[in-house]
Amino acid sequence: MLELMLCSLLTILPDYLFRRFGQGKRFGKEITLYSVWFELRWGIVTCLMLTIGLITMIFYYHPSTNSATLYYRTVPIVPEINGRVAEVYVRGVSGEVEQGAPIFRLDSSTQKAAAESARRKIAEVEAAMVAAQSDILASEGKAQEARSALQQAIDELETKQELNRRGAGIVAVREIERLQNVVNGRQGSVAAATAAKQTAEAQFNTLLPAQKASAQAALAQAEVEIAKTTIRAGVKGRVEQFSLRPGDIVNPFMRSAGVLIPEGAGRKAIAAGFGQIEAQVMKVGMLAEVTCISKPWTVIPMVVTGVQDFIAAGQFRGGEQLIDAQQVVRPGTILVFLEPLYQGGLEGVTPGSSCIANAYTGNHELIESGKLSTSKKLALHAVDAVGVVHAMILRIQAIVLPIQTLVFSGH
């Protein structure tokens, strides 16, 4: 409507003034309801063509969308294990929580029993290590005793052999053979005692420490499982829709306990979906404006900080079925991220609020670069100037939006 009124001032009004003062024709006389088309045909046709061209230029270079939302991130409150709720630390269905603060606790009797079993196993291994030390000392004593007995047998054998060399027949051959067998047996005893000592040392230095380390690892795992039974806030924020109570069963795959909204969520950027035809126009750094239903009669200056290179409607997952292009019923949009131009610009806007967004093409730097001809400069000046019309439309929408919502939407 504004475009039509503006174009009529440049086309129909001059045509009428010419008819009225140049030709002397008047409304109600020469210009009537039946002859107005013939009399003002040039102005009317020019007005329609100019209006269509102006609307096309405005909506192309200064795009607008009603699909703008102040999205915010949520963190599901989900335990890592199944269990029955034993205690709830958040009172009511919502509340502020600090990072690391406990939210609720599951029954941990099974995990505590596993931890106690691991502690008992550690104590058992430590007792076995004390006993192994005693076994090492006992093995050392037996080895020393075996070596002494061996030495005694060797001395006795050598003495009998020396006597036998000095005088034949003094020592019976059978006696020397018996002593040789005794020496051989004592050598076996020494080897056995040495092996027993080495076994005891290996058990003390290798086996028992490994068993202790395994028991300590089992204890650490049990303590980790106990820690998992207490669900804590990963970030500072607010718990919402928290209806969990003691006795409830929580399953991490089927049922979450609630939602945690991080502090400051939904206070940074607005995500807006513009038409695909605006893909070549939307650029990072463009100025924009939004008006949100949760903060009526307010226009917030924004700036484009990001333009997504992909359209979500065209995505697909590999599977056993072929893709049919007709399955995309609605064309997707260009996702654009808008941030406030000034600090605190989104204060008072409720996260999740629906907004109307306008983006404005700016060619000031290109015009001032001196690289363009005069005709191109004038054209770009015209493109920038018509953005005022869209800005006026947005302000009219900001004024009408609360009235339309409260009065004309069936409330």
Side-chain angles (χ1 to χ4, degrees):
M1 181 61 69
L2 288 177
E3 294 86 350
L4 180 61
M5 294 175 60
L6 179 62
C7 293
S8 65
L9 294 177
L10 302 176
T11 55
I12 298 178
L13 180 60
D15 194 6
Y16 168 73
L17 293 178
F18 172 76
R19 303 291 182 182
R20 176 68 180 86
F21 297 103
Q23 298 179 351
K25 298 180 180 180
R26 297 166 296 175
F27 266 115
K29 300 295 183 178
E30 294 81 8
I31 303 177
T32 63
L33 180 64
Y34 300 101
S35 64
V36 65
W37 163 250
F38 178 79
E39 297 293 343
L40 303 179
R41 59 187 182 277
W42 294 105
I44 293 174
V45 172
T46 306
C47 178
L48 292 176
M49 295 176 61
L50 187 60
T51 300
I52 294 174
L54 180 61
I55 292 176
T56 302
M57 184 172 62
I58 290 175
F59 279 91
Y60 180 75
Y61 288 104
H62 309 286
S64 176
T65 180
N66 294 331
S67 302
T69 304
L70 188 60
Y71 288 99
Y72 58 92
R73 184 175 67 93
T74 61
V75 180
I77 304 175
V78 180
E80 297 183 37
I81 58 176
N82 300 335
R84 186 178 297 275
V85 178
E87 187 176 3
V88 177
Y89 301 102
V90 177
R91 305 302 177 187
V93 295
S94 65
E96 300 287 340
V97 292
E98 298 291 332
Q99 184 176 4
I103 300 177
F104 66 93
R105 181 178 61 84
L106 301 177
D107 180 41
S108 58
S109 57
T110 303
Q111 291 79 6
K112 289 181 179 178
E116 183 62 25
S117 176
R119 293 190 188 95
R120 296 295 178 86
K121 181 63 176 179
I122 292 174
E124 180 181 348
V125 173
E126 289 176 347
M129 293 179 71
V130 174
Q133 286 181 327
S134 300
D135 292 341
I136 293 174
L137 297 176
S139 299
E140 176 64 28
K142 291 181 179 180
Q144 184 63 35
E145 181 181 359
R147 285 193 293 269
S148 299
L150 174 61
Q151 187 63 42
Q152 181 180 1
I154 292 174
D155 293 342
E156 187 174 355
L157 176 61
E158 290 176 350
T159 301
K160 294 298 177 71
Q161 288 177 341
E162 181 65 25
L163 292 174
N164 189 37
R165 284 195 300 269
R166 292 181 179 181
I170 298 177
V171 180
V173 176
R174 179 61 181 169
E175 179 66 18
I176 294 176
E177 292 178 352
R178 185 185 67 80
L179 292 175
Q180 184 64 50
N181 292 332
V182 171
V183 169
N184 295 337
R186 299 288 173 83
Q187 287 177 343
S189 298
V190 171
T194 303
K197 179 184 176 183
Q198 291 177 348
T199 301
E201 289 177 345
Q203 185 177 13
F204 178 78
N205 296 324
T206 305
L207 178 60
L208 293 178
Q211 292 179 349
K212 183 178 180 180
S214 298
Q216 290 174 339
L219 176 60
Q221 182 179 1
E223 290 176 345
V224 169
E225 295 297 325
I226 292 175
K228 288 180 180 179
T229 60
T230 301
I231 288 74
R232 301 179 181 274
V235 295
K236 181 180 179 181
R238 184 175 183 85
V239 175
E240 292 291 346
Q241 299 181 8
F242 186 77
S243 59
L244 202 65
R245 292 297 177 263
D248 292 345
I249 297 293
V250 179
N251 189 314
F253 300 101
M254 299 178 60
R255 180 185 179 187
S256 62
V259 174
L260 174 62
I261 302 175
E263 184 182 28
R267 308 292 181 181
K268 183 179 179 181
I270 290 178
F274 290 89
Q276 295 183 20
I277 197 172
E278 313 293 348
Q280 302 302 318
V281 178
M282 300 303 306
K283 304 294 181 182
V284 175
M286 291 178 61
L287 295 179
E289 291 179 327
V290 299
T291 180
C292 299
I293 189 63
S294 61
K295 193 176 182 180
W297 297 312
T298 303
V299 176
I300 305 172
M302 309 287 286
V303 62
V304 177
T305 59
V307 179
Q308 186 170 281
D309 293 335
F310 299 92
I311 298 176
Q315 65 179 330
F316 72 95
R317 293 182 179 180
E320 69 278 2
Q321 294 184 351
L322 297 177
I323 301 299
D324 188 349
Q326 292 184 351
Q327 293 177 353
V328 182
V329 180
R330 296 181 57 187
T333 59
I334 301 296
L335 184 62
V336 177
F337 298 96
L338 309 174
E339 293 188 11
L341 189 59
Y342 304 105
Q343 186 175 4
L346 292 177
E347 290 184 1
V349 181
T350 304
S353 176
S354 297
C355 305
I356 301 174
N358 281 2
Y360 304 103
T361 299
N363 300 294
H364 177 74
E365 295 181 358
L366 185 59
I367 294 173
E368 295 296 330
S369 65
K371 300 178 181 179
L372 302 178
S373 62
T374 303
S375 59
K376 289 184 177 181
K377 288 183 179 180
L378 292 176
L380 293 180
H381 270 299
V383 169
D384 291 350
V386 296
V388 178
V389 178
H390 225 171
M392 293 174 59
I393 295 176
L394 180 65
R395 280 151 179 80
I396 294 174
Q397 290 175 317
I399 295 174
V400 175
L401 187 59
I403 301 174
Q404 180 180 2
T405 302
L406 297 175
V407 179
F408 298 105
S409 63
H411 286 282

